[in-house]
Amino acid sequence: MDRIGNRMVLLKDRLDALVAETGAMVYIDATPLLDANWTGIPMVAARFAQRFLTFLPDNTEFFFENLLLDKDLVRAALEANSGQELNASFRGEGSRRLDLSGPGLSVGFFPSIKRVRGYFDVETSISHDLSTLITPEFHTASNVDHHMRAMIPDILTNDLTLCVSDATRLDLLAYFGEGLGRLATVYNGVEWPEEFAVRYSGEVGQRPVERYVMILGTREPRKNIAKIFEMLTRHPQVLEEMRFVFVGKTGWLQDKTKVPQVLADAEARGRIVFTGFVSEYDKYKLLRAAWLTLYPSYFEGFGLPVVESLSVGTPCLASFSSSLPEVGGPLLPYFDPLSADDLHDKLTALAKLPQAEWDEIVAGGRRMAERFTWDEAFADLINHLAPIITAAAAESRTGDAAWS
């Protein structure tokens, strides 16, 4: 058994003992899982939900507002990798009112913003980034207001706040000081179903593929795709050397991410391509077949597309900003996200790189990506959360004894 497998066996034993001791029931806020297309936060919520159901199948529930959801519906959504059917049917048969009057400790797990606060005996939520605070110009006013109203009340009512990177944790400390309670870094992870590699081998394999650069992520201003357009406008010959394929759903403030008129012909000729949202397998296939991925984001809390790219052996040229050097590692090429010329220079240098140096970047990227798995993330979460649950249960028993 490998190290991770052995760790997960020990984790299962630990969780069984924790439940026996405290009677803990975990209630997961299912709000992110109701999205039809899972990327970003819904994907994070799904990966943790899968592991709670695997390790604590009888002690995990899902809620939305004041309703408990049918777990079979949640399992079906996790299997489909989409919340479309869950959203359409969760209020029907199988749902029931959320009731915490039973024995045992209630643990509320919020994958993002908390819709209720102070409702559970123990509460923990995930802080993904501080972009609405640090870069509000990249968000709508309503989104900034929504997140800023929730951020500090969420954290102050948490027993544990999970940060997706040290960069995010340090941002919280830098902007709000030390009085935020327990903060812990729990990284995101990456995983692909085993059949993806088999399908890819049959569909693509070693067949030659025209060189293309893939840009993965929701099209919104913070992702800085306008800098790519600026670079291509200044250096149009790059479009004859490689295609630029943008993969991801359309976000907000679309006027700031549209293709400039000067590049309209390149888009018409298929040198610039927008796929929209794609399935997990198509994402895997596009990532693996790409020559390079490009991640020019101004600001990130983690940078999951970077790790996804590295995990399939495709190097990523990323902006040197926020959490990206933390998750990309020392061998990843970086550029100044404010400079179209630096982007062009780094892209040109990579195209001229000797094969041995390219192979070193690929190998280093794979090693870096291996650090980020959802099993490790779940184990880290439990390692931080379990002592808090144990202490809360002991405190509850002491209080009960005082009243008896």
Side-chain angles (χ1 to χ4, degrees):
M1 184 180 297
D2 63 17
R3 180 185 63 84
I4 294 177
N6 185 60
R7 186 182 186 190
M8 302 313 284
V9 170
L10 295 174
L11 182 64
K12 174 62 174 171
D13 292 342
R14 182 181 186 184
L15 284 170
D16 289 343
L18 181 69
V19 168
E21 178 187 359
T22 67
M25 287 288 299
V26 177
Y27 296 86
I28 300 176
D29 180 10
T31 303
L33 300 178
L34 301 178
D35 282 6
N37 299 325
W38 287 355
T39 62
I41 292 173
M43 188 66 73
V44 172
R47 296 300 175 254
F48 280 123
Q50 287 171 326
R51 282 152 181 83
F52 273 112
L53 284 172
T54 297
F55 285 88
L56 294 173
D58 298 325
N59 292 76
T60 297
E61 297 284 357
F62 295 85
F63 73 95
F64 175 77
E65 295 180 346
N66 65 339
L67 287 179
L68 282 179
L69 279 59
D70 184 336
K71 282 195 284 190
D72 287 338
L73 291 177
V74 176
R75 289 188 177 97
L78 294 172
E79 181 67 25
N81 210 53
S82 168
Q84 185 168 347
E85 290 301 319
L86 178 64
N87 197 345
S89 55
F90 78 90
R91 295 183 187 274
E93 186 176 350
S95 66
R96 58 196 191 280
R97 290 188 65 84
L98 176 61
D99 181 6
L100 304 181
S101 61
L105 204 71
S106 63
V107 180
F109 175 65
F110 298 83
S112 185
I113 288 176
K114 297 168 70 173
R115 298 176 70 87
V116 294
R117 304 185 187 100
Y119 193 72
F120 301 94
D121 296 319
V122 173
E123 294 186 357
T124 181
S125 69
I126 301 177
S127 177
H128 294 273
D129 63 65
L130 273 66
S131 63
T132 51
L133 171 66
I134 298 174
T135 56
E137 65 273 23
F138 300 138
H139 296 271
T140 63
S142 60
N143 192 35
V144 172
D145 181 67
H146 177 61
H147 282 85
M148 293 308 299
R149 284 177 181 271
M151 185 183 300
I152 294 304
D154 281 2
I155 293 172
L156 292 180
T157 54
N158 278 343
D159 297 275
L160 172 68
T161 299
L162 305 170
C163 305
V164 298
S165 64
D166 283 339
T168 295
R169 181 175 56 82
L170 294 173
D171 281 344
L172 280 172
L173 292 172
Y175 281 88
F176 300 110
E178 298 286 344
L180 298 177
R182 294 183 181 90
L183 306 179
T185 298
V186 174
Y187 291 115
N188 289 173
V190 62
E191 65 182 8
W192 307 104
E194 292 181 3
E195 64 266 23
F196 280 12
V198 177
R199 287 183 62 184
Y200 181 87
S201 179
E203 295 177 9
V204 182
Q206 300 301 315
R207 299 176 184 88
V209 176
E210 181 184 357
R211 177 174 286 190
Y212 67 90
V213 174
M214 177 174 167
I215 302 92
L216 175 61
T218 300
R219 290 172 58 192
E220 45 104 342
R222 178 168 55 97
K223 302 302 182 180
N224 196 23
I225 65 173
K227 195 61 62 181
I228 301 175
F229 297 148
E230 181 183 345
M231 183 271 291
L232 294 176
T233 299
R234 293 185 184 184
H235 306 278
Q237 74 280 0
V238 174
L239 284 164
E240 307 311 316
E241 300 166 4
M242 59 195 78
R243 294 177 189 262
F244 285 75
V245 180
F246 295 80
V247 179
K249 61 185 179 182
T250 300
W252 48 92
L253 301 177
Q254 297 177 32
D255 59 311
K256 296 186 178 181
T257 62
K258 64 182 180 181
V259 179
Q261 186 60 37
V262 70
L263 296 176
D265 178 66
E267 184 180 8
R269 293 188 295 114
R271 307 310 297 176
I272 297 174
V273 178
F274 295 92
T275 68
F277 177 81
V278 298
S279 70
E280 277 296 284
Y281 172 69
D282 285 339
K283 179 174 72 172
Y284 171 90
K285 181 167 66 172
L286 286 164
L287 279 170
R288 189 167 168 183
W291 168 65
L292 180 77
T293 60
L294 179 54
Y295 204 61
S297 180
Y298 282 118
F299 187 88
E300 291 296 319
F302 181 75
L304 193 54
V306 174
V307 181
E308 288 177 325
S309 179
L310 301 182
S311 73
V312 299
T314 300
C316 179
L317 175 57
S319 59
F320 194 80
S321 172
S322 50
S323 63
L324 297 181
E326 181 181 347
V327 302
L331 293 182
L332 204 68
Y334 298 97
F335 72 98
D336 178 357
L338 300 176
S339 173
D341 289 334
D342 191 43
L343 170 56
H344 174 260
D345 291 345
K346 297 295 173 55
L347 189 64
T348 301
L350 284 170
K352 297 177 180 178
L353 208 62
Q355 188 63 45
E357 294 183 33
W358 182 266
D359 292 344
E360 184 178 352
I361 292 176
V362 171
R366 284 189 183 275
R367 289 193 300 271
M368 195 68 192
E370 288 171 358
R371 296 178 52 197
F372 305 108
T373 73
W374 287 115
D375 282 343
E376 291 277 9
F378 183 70
D380 288 343
L381 163 60
I382 298 303
N383 284 338
H384 291 295
L385 187 58
I388 297 172
I389 294 174
T390 299
E395 183 179 342
S396 178
R397 287 193 295 269
T398 300
D400 291 343
W403 283 100
S404 61

mmCIF file of all heavy atoms in Angstrom, residues 164-184:
data_model
loop_
_atom_site.group_PDB
_atom_site.id
_atom_site.type_symbol
_atom_site.label_atom_id
_atom_site.label_comp_id
_atom_site.label_asym_id
_atom_site.label_seq_id
_atom_site.Cartn_x
_atom_site.Cartn_y
_atom_site.Cartn_z
ATOM 1 N N VAL A 164 -7.325 28.088 0.831
ATOM 2 C CA VAL A 164 -6.896 27.185 -0.230
ATOM 3 C C VAL A 164 -5.419 27.317 -0.581
ATOM 4 O O VAL A 164 -4.907 26.571 -1.409
ATOM 5 C CB VAL A 164 -7.760 27.357 -1.499
ATOM 6 C CG1 VAL A 164 -9.209 27.014 -1.206
ATOM 7 C CG2 VAL A 164 -7.637 28.781 -2.053
ATOM 8 N N SER A 165 -4.736 28.274 0.034
ATOM 9 C CA SER A 165 -3.297 28.438 -0.177
ATOM 10 C C SER A 165 -2.733 29.261 0.976
ATOM 11 O O SER A 165 -3.474 29.938 1.697
ATOM 12 C CB SER A 165 -2.994 29.140 -1.512
ATOM 13 O OG SER A 165 -3.510 30.467 -1.491
ATOM 14 N N ASP A 166 -1.425 29.187 1.132
ATOM 15 C CA ASP A 166 -0.783 30.077 2.111
ATOM 16 C C ASP A 166 -0.964 31.531 1.704
ATOM 17 O O ASP A 166 -1.075 32.422 2.559
ATOM 18 C CB ASP A 166 0.710 29.750 2.217
ATOM 19 C CG ASP A 166 0.980 28.495 3.032
ATOM 20 O OD1 ASP A 166 0.105 28.102 3.836
ATOM 21 O OD2 ASP A 166 2.058 27.905 2.864
ATOM 22 N N ALA A 167 -0.990 31.785 0.397
ATOM 23 C CA ALA A 167 -1.190 33.161 -0.077
ATOM 24 C C ALA A 167 -2.522 33.718 0.419
ATOM 25 O O ALA A 167 -2.594 34.869 0.875
ATOM 26 C CB ALA A 167 -1.127 33.197 -1.603
ATOM 27 N N THR A 168 -3.576 32.919 0.338
ATOM 28 C CA THR A 168 -4.887 33.360 0.812
ATOM 29 C C THR A 168 -4.882 33.554 2.323
ATOM 30 O O THR A 168 -5.412 34.548 2.837
ATOM 31 C CB THR A 168 -5.966 32.348 0.405
ATOM 32 O OG1 THR A 168 -6.067 32.315 -1.024
ATOM 33 C CG2 THR A 168 -7.325 32.713 0.982
ATOM 34 N N ARG A 169 -4.280 32.619 3.043
ATOM 35 C CA ARG A 169 -4.213 32.736 4.503
ATOM 36 C C ARG A 169 -3.441 34.002 4.917
ATOM 37 O O ARG A 169 -3.872 34.744 5.817
ATOM 38 C CB ARG A 169 -3.551 31.489 5.085
ATOM 39 C CG ARG A 169 -3.442 31.487 6.607
ATOM 40 C CD ARG A 169 -2.893 30.161 7.112
ATOM 41 N NE ARG A 169 -1.615 29.825 6.509
ATOM 42 C CZ ARG A 169 -0.444 30.303 6.914
ATOM 43 N NH1 ARG A 169 -0.391 31.150 7.942
ATOM 44 N NH2 ARG A 169 0.683 29.944 6.313
ATOM 45 N N LEU A 170 -2.331 34.249 4.253
ATOM 46 C CA LEU A 170 -1.531 35.426 4.580
ATOM 47 C C LEU A 170 -2.231 36.720 4.181
ATOM 48 O O LEU A 170 -2.069 37.754 4.839
ATOM 49 C CB LEU A 170 -0.155 35.319 3.923
ATOM 50 C CG LEU A 170 0.735 34.187 4.461
ATOM 51 C CD1 LEU A 170 1.999 34.045 3.629
ATOM 52 C CD2 LEU A 170 1.077 34.425 5.929
ATOM 53 N N ASP A 171 -3.027 36.676 3.109
ATOM 54 C CA ASP A 171 -3.833 37.849 2.743
ATOM 55 C C ASP A 171 -4.825 38.173 3.856
ATOM 56 O O ASP A 171 -5.004 39.353 4.217
ATOM 57 C CB ASP A 171 -4.590 37.586 1.436
ATOM 58 C CG ASP A 171 -3.720 37.753 0.204
ATOM 59 O OD1 ASP A 171 -2.638 38.357 0.310
ATOM 60 O OD2 ASP A 171 -4.131 37.271 -0.868
ATOM 61 N N LEU A 172 -5.484 37.155 4.381
ATOM 62 C CA LEU A 172 -6.434 37.387 5.469
ATOM 63 C C LEU A 172 -5.743 38.034 6.666
ATOM 64 O O LEU A 172 -6.256 38.994 7.252
ATOM 65 C CB LEU A 172 -7.082 36.065 5.887
ATOM 66 C CG LEU A 172 -8.220 35.549 5.015
ATOM 67 C CD1 LEU A 172 -8.624 34.144 5.441
ATOM 68 C CD2 LEU A 172 -9.420 36.483 5.084
ATOM 69 N N LEU A 173 -4.588 37.521 7.016
ATOM 70 C CA LEU A 173 -3.858 38.070 8.156
ATOM 71 C C LEU A 173 -3.372 39.496 7.877
ATOM 72 O O LEU A 173 -3.397 40.358 8.761
ATOM 73 C CB LEU A 173 -2.671 37.171 8.501
ATOM 74 C CG LEU A 173 -3.021 35.788 9.070
ATOM 75 C CD1 LEU A 173 -1.778 34.920 9.186
ATOM 76 C CD2 LEU A 173 -3.714 35.922 10.421
ATOM 77 N N ALA A 174 -2.933 39.739 6.644
ATOM 78 C CA ALA A 174 -2.416 41.063 6.296
ATOM 79 C C ALA A 174 -3.513 42.124 6.330
ATOM 80 O O ALA A 174 -3.281 43.257 6.768
ATOM 81 C CB ALA A 174 -1.768 41.015 4.910
ATOM 82 N N TYR A 175 -4.712 41.772 5.891
ATOM 83 C CA TYR A 175 -5.777 42.767 5.802
ATOM 84 C C TYR A 175 -6.609 42.877 7.067
ATOM 85 O O TYR A 175 -7.207 43.924 7.328
ATOM 86 C CB TYR A 175 -6.681 42.450 4.602
ATOM 87 C CG TYR A 175 -6.098 42.891 3.282
ATOM 88 C CD1 TYR A 175 -5.250 42.054 2.563
ATOM 89 C CD2 TYR A 175 -6.356 44.163 2.769
ATOM 90 C CE1 TYR A 175 -4.685 42.460 1.360
ATOM 91 C CE2 TYR A 175 -5.806 44.579 1.572
ATOM 92 C CZ TYR A 175 -4.956 43.724 0.868
ATOM 93 O OH TYR A 175 -4.400 44.142 -0.309
ATOM 94 N N PHE A 176 -6.678 41.785 7.849
ATOM 95 C CA PHE A 176 -7.590 41.789 8.996
ATOM 96 C C PHE A 176 -6.919 41.482 10.327
ATOM 97 O O PHE A 176 -7.578 41.495 11.365
ATOM 98 C CB PHE A 176 -8.731 40.791 8.758
ATOM 99 C CG PHE A 176 -9.538 41.101 7.536
ATOM 100 C CD1 PHE A 176 -9.467 40.296 6.416
ATOM 101 C CD2 PHE A 176 -10.350 42.228 7.495
ATOM 102 C CE1 PHE A 176 -10.203 40.584 5.279
ATOM 103 C CE2 PHE A 176 -11.094 42.530 6.364
ATOM 104 C CZ PHE A 176 -11.017 41.712 5.249
ATOM 105 N N GLY A 177 -5.632 41.192 10.327
ATOM 106 C CA GLY A 177 -4.931 40.988 11.587
ATOM 107 C C GLY A 177 -5.100 39.597 12.156
ATOM 108 O O GLY A 177 -5.607 38.676 11.511
ATOM 109 N N GLU A 178 -4.711 39.455 13.402
ATOM 110 C CA GLU A 178 -4.612 38.137 14.032
ATOM 111 C C GLU A 178 -5.906 37.681 14.700
ATOM 112 O O GLU A 178 -5.976 36.554 15.179
ATOM 113 C CB GLU A 178 -3.494 38.156 15.091
ATOM 114 C CG GLU A 178 -2.109 38.454 14.526
ATOM 115 C CD GLU A 178 -1.525 37.286 13.756
ATOM 116 O OE1 GLU A 178 -2.028 36.162 13.911
ATOM 117 O OE2 GLU A 178 -0.564 37.503 12.993
ATOM 118 N N GLY A 179 -6.913 38.504 14.772
ATOM 119 C CA GLY A 179 -8.107 38.160 15.547
ATOM 120 C C GLY A 179 -9.160 37.401 14.772
ATOM 121 O O GLY A 179 -10.373 37.600 14.987
ATOM 122 N N LEU A 180 -8.752 36.528 13.881
ATOM 123 C CA LEU A 180 -9.696 35.822 13.013
ATOM 124 C C LEU A 180 -9.955 34.387 13.450
ATOM 125 O O LEU A 180 -10.636 33.649 12.747
ATOM 126 C CB LEU A 180 -9.174 35.820 11.568
ATOM 127 C CG LEU A 180 -9.001 37.192 10.924
ATOM 128 C CD1 LEU A 180 -8.423 37.041 9.526
ATOM 129 C CD2 LEU A 180 -10.330 37.949 10.869
ATOM 130 N N GLY A 181 -9.417 33.987 14.576
ATOM 131 C CA GLY A 181 -9.610 32.605 14.992
ATOM 132 C C GLY A 181 -8.671 31.667 14.256
ATOM 133 O O GLY A 181 -7.636 32.071 13.724
ATOM 134 N N ARG A 182 -9.027 30.401 14.211
ATOM 135 C CA ARG A 182 -8.162 29.395 13.597
ATOM 136 C C ARG A 182 -8.222 29.476 12.076
ATOM 137 O O ARG A 182 -9.291 29.380 11.474
ATOM 138 C CB ARG A 182 -8.583 27.995 14.036
ATOM 139 C CG ARG A 182 -8.398 27.699 15.519
ATOM 140 C CD ARG A 182 -8.795 26.246 15.802
ATOM 141 N NE ARG A 182 -8.660 25.892 17.198
ATOM 142 C CZ ARG A 182 -9.634 26.023 18.098
ATOM 143 N NH1 ARG A 182 -10.803 26.526 17.727
ATOM 144 N NH2 ARG A 182 -9.450 25.648 19.348
ATOM 145 N N LEU A 183 -7.074 29.657 11.466
ATOM 146 C CA LEU A 183 -6.927 29.607 10.013
ATOM 147 C C LEU A 183 -6.007 28.440 9.671
ATOM 148 O O LEU A 183 -5.001 28.225 10.342
ATOM 149 C CB LEU A 183 -6.321 30.900 9.465
ATOM 150 C CG LEU A 183 -6.986 32.234 9.815
ATOM 151 C CD1 LEU A 183 -6.191 33.378 9.193
ATOM 152 C CD2 LEU A 183 -8.434 32.265 9.343
ATOM 153 N N ALA A 184 -6.337 27.696 8.620
ATOM 154 C CA ALA A 184 -5.492 26.577 8.207
ATOM 155 C C ALA A 184 -5.475 26.490 6.688
ATOM 156 O O ALA A 184 -6.495 26.707 6.029
ATOM 157 C CB ALA A 184 -6.010 25.255 8.790
#
